[in-house]
Amino acid sequence: MVDPDGPTPVYVQIADIIQLRIEAGELQPNRPIPSELALQQEFGVARGTARRAVELLRDRGLVFTVPQRGTFVSQQTP
């Protein structure tokens, strides 16, 4: 799980966990990832931390956000 006292920022750890779920096929392309609220509850973090994790996933090209709809897994290229 997440190590708040480790050298890696918590938001990076959360993004890495979600990335692993995407790569494992647990989260399918064009389907939503857990909401910020769900990430807050699952990992016991603040809203800003959850938001930064989603932002990092977006920067990595793994997800895209649709206003008023949510954040979805991007189509992966082989």
Side-chain angles (χ1 to χ4, degrees):
M1 257 356 248
V2 175
D3 179 8
D5 297 321
T8 305
V10 172
Y11 76 94
V12 175
Q13 294 178 54
I14 294 170
D16 290 344
I17 290 168
I18 301 300
Q19 181 173 348
L20 288 174
R21 291 179 185 173
I22 291 170
E23 291 170 352
E26 293 177 38
L27 298 171
Q28 297 293 316
N30 294 318
R31 295 289 173 223
I33 65 168
S35 67
E36 288 178 2
L37 178 59
L39 293 175
Q40 285 177 256
Q41 293 172 343
E42 179 178 350
F43 296 105
V45 296
R47 184 177 188 179
T49 303
R51 186 169 284 166
R52 286 186 74 184
V54 172
E55 182 180 334
L56 182 56
L57 290 167
R58 207 171 21 250
D59 291 346
R60 292 177 181 177
L62 295 171
V63 300
F64 62 96
T65 300
V66 178
Q68 305 299 319
R69 299 283 303 169
T71 302
F72 298 82
V73 177
S74 299
Q75 289 285 353
Q76 303 300 309
T77 54

